[in-house]
Every structure is written in C-alpha cells, then in structure tokens.
Amino acid sequence: MKTLHFLVIGKNQEILDVLQRIIGNNEGWTSEIQSDENASYGYITKNKVDIVLLSSGLSDDFEKEMKIFCAHLDKDVKVIDHYGGGSGLLKNEVYSLFPNLQG
C-alpha cells in the first residue's frame, strides 16, 4: 500500500486536530499540521509531501499562491481545498487524486 504524506494547513486548531485524527485513522496516511502559512513553504520543500490539504481560515491569496507553488515544484504535490464534510468526503477527495488506492 502506498503511504500518503499530508501537510494540513489551516487556522482553526480544533479542526486541524480533527483532520489529523481522521488522516491518522487511515492505514498508510500520515500528516503534519501547520498553522503558519510562511513555514509551510519550507516544510513542503524539505519534506516528502503528497497532499497539501487547505483547511479553514486561510486567505484566498495564500490558497492561490500555495497552488501555484506546488504546481511549480519538481515533485508531484497535490492540493485539496477541504472545508469540512467528514471523513467520507476527505477519502473521496483523496481517491479522486489517487484512484489506484481504492480497494
């Protein structure tokens, strides 16, 4: 099974904690939580990241800049706008990007 490494970026700590728990409940999925937008660029550059999950509280400008940043990297980093909806929605968002992961 492929391991997926998430970087979850957002401003609401309670939501970030829930997302980290949901991600951790899936076999092979790991996550790092970040509430500092500026630090997230360095984290992506220096670490293995498959998915950047944009959560609540971020500015539209930051979200656009992050998508452009990830698109121009030499590594394949996917970006998901995730604003809630539960674990089922998150899985569907991930499986749409990685259809080979579906059982």
Side-chain angles (χ1 to χ4, degrees), residues 4-8 19-21 23-24 29-33:
L4 289 179
H5 303 281
F6 291 74
L7 174 62
V8 182
L19 287 169
Q20 188 169 39
R21 183 174 36 81
I23 291 167
W29 293 11
T30 65
S31 65
E32 178 69 26
I33 301 298

Side-chain angles (χ1 to χ4, degrees), residues 31-98:
S31 65
E32 178 69 26
I33 301 298
Q34 189 68 252
S35 59
D36 180 349
E37 291 105 329
N38 292 327
S40 62
Y41 293 104
Y43 183 87
I44 294 167
T45 303
K46 296 175 186 169
N47 295 278
K48 169 82 170 120
V49 175
D50 298 300
I51 298 173
V52 172
L53 190 71
L54 301 175
S55 185
S56 62
L58 303 170
S59 72
D60 289 340
D61 288 342
F62 172 75
E63 290 183 7
K64 289 175 190 170
E65 290 170 10
M66 180 54 67
K67 290 173 185 175
I68 292 168
F69 176 78
C70 289
H72 288 94
L73 291 172
D74 289 335
K75 45 189 178 178
D76 187 24
V77 178
K78 312 274 192 222
V79 179
I80 295 175
D81 295 309
H82 183 78
Y83 304 110
S87 60
L89 177 60
L90 179 58
K91 284 183 181 181
N92 286 335
E93 291 168 335
V94 172
Y95 291 149
S96 72
L97 296 174
F98 297 95

